[in-house]
């Protein structure tokens, strides 16, 4: 077994031990004043605690030098530990070897149990150091920098690297004022220039650079459409009632007197009742008269009154809420008015026809494309991708790059471009729907949707149109320099053209935004734009007010501005600049044999089935392989900003970045001192409010003692004090002491009063 004795005394703690019955020597582990308070030892299987830390049963505490015992784990060697609040004990130096030195303890043998005390926690010391460090930091913060405002300002002026503040401190009064004004003036000038530079930098201006490159380029995608969206022979049954009504309207406009008797002709008045055409007589501008083309008066004029298109304006009447709210869309030309009215009515008809039937009513590729040649390689209509465009019907795209790799151009020049011969079939045009004859074409990037109505060009029939192409690549900087997007993912508008698997474009965004407003305001979608899933196109039968709603939304400036603000341009764009030239084709000398060959190839007929008014020849090619790159870059970058800020600061005040750091340090110290003063002021204010308020001057010490002293030796009145039973019967109560001396001398009195008192005493 291991046994230890702990002896406590004023000089410290002596620990002696016996290992295996042999004397192991004594080790002094130190003491702390009288009673070795706060140290422990292990003896006979118990832990002994000395001095103030030794506890006894019943809550009594032993005096200095006493020891108490509590159970502990026996240890192989003494490990004194310091109690909280006392420094750790210092081990005594090992005794020098002597002849009487005791042998070392024998090694542990089998069957002998070695007991150890638990090790103290390793993280306790680190936690204590952290607490001390934080406490020092708190005291340092409470103390502050140790300067006053004036001392801090003087120190800064003496030690800063800027020149003005030093002269303010070192010079005389007049020069001090002069240097103060100069320093203040130049400081204000520097701050103003800094503001100008920072404002210029935050304006995010860009500079445009133009570079020219040369390389082999991919041939652009080419979209070709017919000016007429449908073959009249296939849509005639759908437009029969509308065409008859159109003929009567034209007769009424051209010859109102002769056609008035035929106004009651059997017509489908349902179409006319929704959006009729009217004549507005403005002979009296303050009281215009509105006349229906079929003779109905809407403004109280005499029945049967007529008006020609030359004397009156033709307008379209649009009504909603069962005709209670109406508006008139005026036109300066009757031709334009009739065309817009017919297009609106045709839109109502075609919106109710399934899309597959509309495709079958358009011009098929095998009849539109007669011949194709790309460079030296022949091609046909099978190399084109078909899409349906509401304005132009079936359109065909060459080299779109959706399913195959884009075709490169081998060399610039007309011999290495795309050559096409088209038959637009002008004889089968819809008479009132299309007033233009020709082919509509557009050049665009691969995988982009062709907005051919806005960006396309016409090729006239009976001519050969040559188109030389130059490429411009636009690279915009992006936010915050410009409002552009890479792929449209950050645009808050659902792209309705994503079903075509095409890339983002601002045209797709604007049209998708308009269709979204159309659905929200009119409860239906317009026929000319893609339709979201679950929605329906507008028509007179299901949505009788759609024409009024569409016209109002189309004329709304707020709607256009909303869509323009929501949509963004693409950061990377490719534009194709075209140089167009035309010539008659075929010539009169070669017209006969060319038309015979083309008729034989397409219709297997020996007769000529083609005519000059339906033939279009196209040559599309790169003029050169040079391309221009228009790239945006930041006009004012961070290097420009820092160089200008530093240049102005150094020029006007001779400063640098370190001077700014010094100034920042002074500001922090100023704020630090201010906070400490405010805290001290708040504390003093709180203490003053907590003190008792006296009506007169505060009492003296003598007055306070007199108020609590028993001068007449009267017995104490029982009151709220100690219980009389505390004193035994045989023990008398304590006798009050003599009265205290007079302490009036401690009161501060004026000097003249003191002198008068001393003179009276002398007398």
């Amino acid at each position: 077994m291991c046994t230890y004795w702990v002896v406590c005394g004023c000089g410290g703690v002596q620990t002696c031990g016996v290992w295996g019955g042999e004397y192991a020597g004594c080790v002094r582990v130190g003491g702390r004043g009288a009673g070795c308070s706060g140290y422990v030892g292990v003896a006979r299987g118990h832990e002994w605690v000395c001095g103030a830390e030794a506890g006894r049963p019943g809550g009594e505490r032993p005096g200095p030098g006493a020891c108490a015992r509590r159970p502990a784990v026996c240890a192989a060697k003494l490990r004194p530990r310091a109690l909280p609040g006392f420094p750790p004990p210092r081990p005594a130096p090992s005794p020098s070897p002597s002849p009487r030195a005791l042998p070392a303890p024998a090694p542990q043998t089998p069957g002998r149990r070695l007991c150890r005390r638990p090790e103290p926690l390793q993280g306790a010391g680190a936690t204590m150091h952290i607490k001390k460090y934080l406490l020092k930091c708190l005291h340092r913060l409470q103390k502050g920098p140790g300067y006053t405002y004036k001392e801090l300002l003087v120190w800064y002026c003496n030690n800063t690297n800027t020149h003005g503040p030093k002269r303010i401190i070192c010079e005389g009064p007049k020069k001090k004022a002069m240097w103060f004004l100069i320093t203040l003036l130049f400081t204000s000038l520097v701050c103003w220039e800094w503001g100008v530079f920072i404002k210029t930098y935050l304006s995010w201006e860009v500079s445009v650079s133009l570079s020219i490159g040369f390389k082999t380029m991919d041939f652009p995608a080419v979209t070709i459409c017919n000016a007429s969206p449908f073959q009249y022979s296939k849509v005639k049954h759908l437009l029969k009632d509308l065409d008859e009504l159109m003929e009567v309207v034209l007769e009424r406009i051209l010859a109102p007197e002769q056609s008035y008797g035929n106004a009651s002709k059997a017509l489908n008045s349902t179409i006319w009742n929704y959006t009729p055409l009217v004549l507005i007589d403005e002979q009296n501008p303050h009281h215009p008269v509105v006349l229906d083309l079929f003779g109905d008066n809407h403004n109280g004029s005499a029945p049967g009154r007529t008006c020609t298109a030359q004397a009156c304006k033709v307008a379209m009447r649009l009504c909603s809420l069962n005709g209670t709210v109406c508006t008139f869309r005026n036109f300066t030309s009757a031709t334009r008015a009739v065309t817009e009215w017919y297009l609106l009515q045709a839109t109502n008809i075609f919106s109710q026809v399934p899309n597959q039937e509309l495709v079958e009513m358009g011009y098929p590729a095998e009849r539109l494309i007669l011949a194709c040649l790309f460079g030296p390689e022949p091609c046909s209509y099978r190399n084109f991708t078909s899409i349906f465009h509401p304005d132009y019907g079936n359109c065909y795209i060459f080299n779109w790059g959706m399913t195959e790799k884009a075709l490169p151009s081998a060399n610039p020049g007309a011999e290495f471009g795309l050559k096409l011969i088209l038959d637009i079939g002008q004889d089968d045009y819809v008479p009132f729907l299309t007033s233009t004859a020709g082919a509509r074409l557009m050049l665009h990037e691969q995988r982009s949707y062709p907005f051919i109505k806005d960006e396309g060009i016409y090729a006239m029939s009976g001519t050969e149109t040559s188109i030389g192409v130059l490429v411009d690549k636009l690279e915009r900087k992006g936010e915050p320099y410009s409002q552009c997007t890479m792929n449209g993912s950050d645009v808050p508008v659902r792209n309705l053209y994503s079903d075509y698997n095409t890339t983002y474009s601002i045209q797709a965004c604007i049209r998708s935004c308009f269709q979204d407003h159309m659905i929200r305001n009119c409860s239906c979608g317009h026929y000319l734009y893609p339709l979201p899933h679950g929605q329906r196109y507008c028509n007179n039968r299901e949505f009788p007010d759609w024409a009024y709603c569409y016209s109002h939304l189309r004329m709304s400036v707020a709607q256009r501005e909303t869509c323009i603000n929501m949509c963004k341009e693409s950061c990377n764009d490719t534009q194709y600049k075209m140089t167009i030239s035309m010539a008659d084709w075929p010539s009169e000398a070669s017209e006969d044999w060319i038309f015979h060959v083309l008729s034989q190839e397409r219709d297997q007929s020996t007769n000529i089935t083609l005519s000059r008014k339906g033939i279009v020849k196209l040559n599309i090619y790169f003029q050169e392989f040079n391309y221009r790159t228009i790239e945006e870059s930041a006009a004012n970058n961070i290097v420009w900003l820092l160089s200008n800020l530093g240049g102005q600061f150094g020029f006007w005040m001779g400063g640098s970045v370190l001077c700014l750091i010094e100034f920042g340090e002074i500001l922090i110290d100023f704020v630090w001192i201010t906070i400490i003063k405010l805290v001290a002021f708040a504390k003093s204010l709180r203490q003053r409010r907590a003190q008792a308020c006296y009506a007169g001057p505060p009492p003296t010490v003598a007055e306070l003692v007199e108020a609590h002293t028993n001068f007449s030796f009267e017995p104490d009145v029982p009151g709220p004090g100690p219980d009389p039973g505390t004193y035994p019967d045989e023990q008398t109560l304590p006798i009050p002491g003599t009265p205290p001396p007079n302490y009036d001398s401690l009161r501060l009195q004026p000097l003249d009063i003191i002198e008068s008192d001393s003179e009276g005493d002398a007398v």
Side-chain angles (χ1 to χ4, degrees):
M1 62 175 293
C2 52
T3 305
Y4 287 89
W5 291 270
V6 180
V7 182
C8 301
C10 296
V13 179
Q14 300 288 333
T15 59
C16 304
V18 174
W19 180 263
E22 297 181 0
Y23 180 70
C26 295
V27 179
R28 175 172 179 159
V29 297
R32 185 178 176 87
C36 62
S37 177
Y39 292 90
V40 299
V42 179
R44 295 187 180 278
H46 294 81
E47 184 179 30
W48 292 79
V49 184
C50 302
E53 296 297 330
R56 293 182 179 179
E60 299 182 15
R61 302 182 67 83
C67 296
R69 183 181 70 178
R70 59 184 178 185
V73 181
C74 183
K77 57 183 178 179
L78 181 63
R79 288 193 183 94
R81 63 179 177 86
L83 295 179
F86 296 90
R90 293 175 296 178
S94 58
S96 59
S98 63
R100 304 178 64 180
L102 297 178
Q108 184 178 6
T109 58
R112 181 175 296 176
R113 182 178 180 184
L114 181 63
C115 302
R116 295 181 180 271
R117 289 183 56 203
E119 292 285 346
L121 296 176
Q122 298 293 334
T127 305
M128 183 63 67
H129 285 299
I130 293 175
K131 289 182 178 179
K132 289 182 179 180
Y133 178 75
L134 294 178
L135 189 61
K136 289 182 179 179
C137 292
L138 181 60
H139 291 167
R140 182 71 180 89
L141 289 175
Q142 293 176 351
K143 182 180 179 182
Y147 301 100
T148 62
Y149 290 122
K150 183 177 180 181
E151 293 173 348
L152 202 60
L153 185 60
V154 171
W155 180 88
Y156 171 74
C157 292
N158 284 329
N159 293 276
T160 182
N161 290 327
T162 54
H163 304 296
K166 291 183 179 180
R167 304 299 295 269
I168 295 174
I169 298 298
C170 300
E171 299 294 343
K174 295 182 179 180
K175 288 190 175 181
K176 276 185 179 181
M178 181 188 68
W179 278 104
F180 176 78
L181 294 177
I182 292 175
T183 304
L184 182 62
L185 175 63
F186 287 168
T187 303
S188 303
L189 183 61
V190 169
C191 293
W192 175 74
E193 290 180 342
W194 280 8
V196 172
F197 286 128
I198 293 175
K199 182 180 179 180
T200 303
Y201 174 75
L202 294 180
S203 63
W204 310 115
E205 296 178 355
V206 297
S207 59
V208 180
S209 60
L210 176 64
S211 60
I212 299 177
F214 179 85
K215 68 175 183 179
T216 302
M217 292 178 290
D218 292 335
F219 198 78
V222 180
T223 299
I224 299 170
C225 307
N226 201 329
S228 178
F230 304 106
Q231 301 179 72
Y232 187 61
S233 58
K234 294 184 178 181
V235 298
K236 189 175 183 179
H237 65 286
L238 296 175
L239 303 177
K240 179 181 178 182
D241 295 339
L242 181 60
D243 290 344
E244 292 177 354
L245 186 60
M246 185 67 174
E247 292 176 359
V248 175
V249 168
L250 292 176
E251 291 178 1
R252 179 70 179 87
I253 293 175
L254 296 176
E257 291 80 4
Q258 290 80 3
S259 62
Y260 182 75
N262 300 329
S264 59
K265 179 182 177 180
L267 297 173
N268 187 355
S269 60
T270 304
I271 301 176
W272 182 260
N273 292 335
Y274 284 113
T275 52
L277 287 173
V278 296
L279 296 175
I280 300 179
D281 187 358
E282 294 183 344
Q283 294 180 1
N284 186 358
H286 301 286
H287 299 282
V289 178
V290 179
L291 299 173
D292 194 287
L293 283 177
F294 292 142
D296 297 331
N297 180 27
H298 296 279
N299 243 13
S301 61
R305 178 177 176 178
T306 60
C307 181
T308 62
Q310 293 79 11
C312 300
K313 289 184 178 180
V314 182
M316 187 187 308
R317 188 178 67 197
L318 304 171
C319 298
S320 65
L321 302 177
N322 296 325
T324 57
V325 179
C326 295
T327 184
F328 295 92
R329 185 181 175 189
N330 299 327
F331 298 91
T332 57
S333 172
T335 302
R336 187 63 183 171
V338 171
T339 303
E340 288 288 334
W341 178 82
Y342 189 92
L343 180 61
L344 187 65
Q345 303 302 328
T347 299
N348 166 62
I349 296 173
F350 292 135
S351 63
Q352 305 178 54
V353 180
N355 188 73
Q356 184 60 34
E357 295 184 14
L358 294 176
V359 172
E360 295 176 356
M361 295 175 186
Y363 287 85
E366 56 270 18
R367 295 198 59 85
L368 179 65
I369 303 172
L370 300 180
C372 175
L373 186 67
F374 181 69
E377 300 293 333
C379 53
S380 67
Y381 67 89
R382 296 182 180 87
N383 298 109
F384 290 75
T385 303
S386 174
I387 63 170
F388 181 80
H389 197 284
D391 289 296
Y392 298 101
N394 295 333
C395 295
Y396 304 96
I397 307 176
F398 177 79
N399 194 31
W400 201 11
M402 285 293 184
T403 57
E404 68 281 347
K405 187 178 179 180
L407 299 175
S409 179
N411 284 301
E415 296 299 324
F416 299 93
L418 178 66
K419 302 178 181 62
L420 295 173
I421 299 178
L422 308 177
D423 179 19
I424 61 176
Q426 189 176 160
D427 295 335
D428 207 11
Y429 271 29
V430 180
F432 301 118
L433 186 62
T434 305
S435 57
T436 304
R440 187 79 170 176
L441 62 97
M442 175 184 172
L443 307 182
H444 54 94
E445 285 187 280
Q446 279 75 25
R447 304 181 64 87
S448 64
Y449 187 85
F451 293 95
I452 194 168
K453 185 176 182 180
D454 302 321
E455 302 177 7
I457 61 173
Y458 277 113
M460 188 171 59
S461 59
T463 62
E464 178 179 354
T465 303
S466 297
I467 303 174
V469 181
L470 294 175
V471 180
D472 287 344
K473 294 184 178 180
L474 304 180
E475 297 180 3
R476 297 181 177 89
K477 183 66 176 174
E479 292 185 355
Y481 297 94
S482 62
Q483 297 293 329
C484 70
T485 179
M486 295 299 297
N487 51 13
S489 59
D490 55 342
V491 177
V493 177
R494 179 178 53 176
N495 186 8
L496 300 179
Y497 293 86
S498 59
D499 294 341
Y500 294 95
N501 196 24
T502 55
T503 58
Y504 171 85
S505 64
I506 190 172
Q507 293 88 349
C509 179
I510 292 177
R511 283 157 180 76
S512 300
C513 180
F514 179 84
Q515 185 75 308
D516 182 65
H517 284 118
M518 185 77 184
I519 293 174
R520 284 189 294 175
N521 291 276
C522 307
S523 303
C524 59
H526 198 274
Y527 165 75
L528 297 180
Y529 308 104
L531 191 67
H533 297 289
Q535 301 295 331
R536 291 175 296 175
Y537 282 124
C538 297
N539 58 80
N540 294 335
R541 184 181 59 186
E542 296 179 287
F543 309 96
D545 300 339
W546 79 271
Y548 174 85
C549 180
Y550 166 70
S551 178
H552 183 269
L553 194 64
R554 183 181 178 184
M555 299 298 177
S556 174
V557 178
Q559 183 275 329
R560 292 197 297 269
E561 291 181 351
T562 301
C563 291
I564 290 174
N565 293 332
M566 294 175 64
C567 295
K568 300 179 181 179
E569 290 183 316
S570 179
C571 291
N572 298 322
D573 193 12
T574 301
Q575 297 180 354
Y576 297 96
K577 306 296 182 181
M578 294 177 286
T579 303
I580 304 173
S581 60
M582 292 181 293
D584 290 339
W585 187 88
S587 62
E588 295 182 358
S590 59
E591 177 179 351
D592 185 67
W593 71 267
I594 289 178
F595 287 157
H596 269 96
V597 173
L598 293 177
S599 300
Q600 175 65 30
E601 290 178 347
R602 189 186 68 173
D603 302 324
Q604 288 80 35
S605 174
T606 57
N607 298 324
I608 296 178
T609 58
L610 302 174
S611 62
R612 175 180 290 274
K613 62 181 181 180
I615 290 296
V616 178
K617 185 177 181 181
L618 298 175
N619 294 328
I620 305 171
Y621 56 91
F622 280 121
Q623 282 184 320
E624 54 186 20
F625 275 171
N626 292 337
Y627 65 94
R628 298 186 303 176
T629 301
I630 303 173
E631 183 179 3
E632 291 182 351
S633 59
N636 307 312
N637 53 21
I638 190 64
V639 176
W640 174 89
L641 177 64
L642 294 179
S643 62
N644 282 279
L645 295 182
Q648 296 299 322
F649 188 43
F651 177 75
W652 293 107
M653 299 190 66
S656 63
V657 177
L658 295 179
C659 297
L660 297 178
I661 297 175
E662 291 175 355
F663 185 72
E665 180 186 4
I666 295 301
L667 289 180
I668 293 174
D669 289 342
F670 265 90
V671 174
W672 193 354
I673 295 173
T674 304
I675 293 175
I676 292 175
K677 288 184 177 295
L678 291 176
V679 171
F681 175 76
K683 185 182 296 184
S684 63
L685 185 62
R686 187 168 57 251
Q687 290 177 355
R688 286 198 300 268
R689 290 179 179 176
Q691 292 177 353
C693 298
Y694 294 94
T700 63
V701 177
E703 292 173 352
L704 293 175
V705 173
E706 182 180 357
H708 295 83
T709 305
N710 188 2
F711 289 102
S712 59
F713 299 96
E714 296 178 357
D716 295 336
V717 180
D723 188 6
T726 306
Y727 301 96
D729 296 338
E730 63 275 6
Q731 184 177 357
T732 61
L733 293 175
I735 300 174
T738 59
N742 188 5
Y743 289 100
D744 287 343
S745 61
L746 297 179
R747 182 192 295 270
L748 295 177
Q749 297 180 355
L751 186 59
D752 55 352
I753 299 176
I754 297 176
E755 293 178 353
S756 62
D757 291 344
S758 61
E759 292 175 359
D761 294 342
V763 175

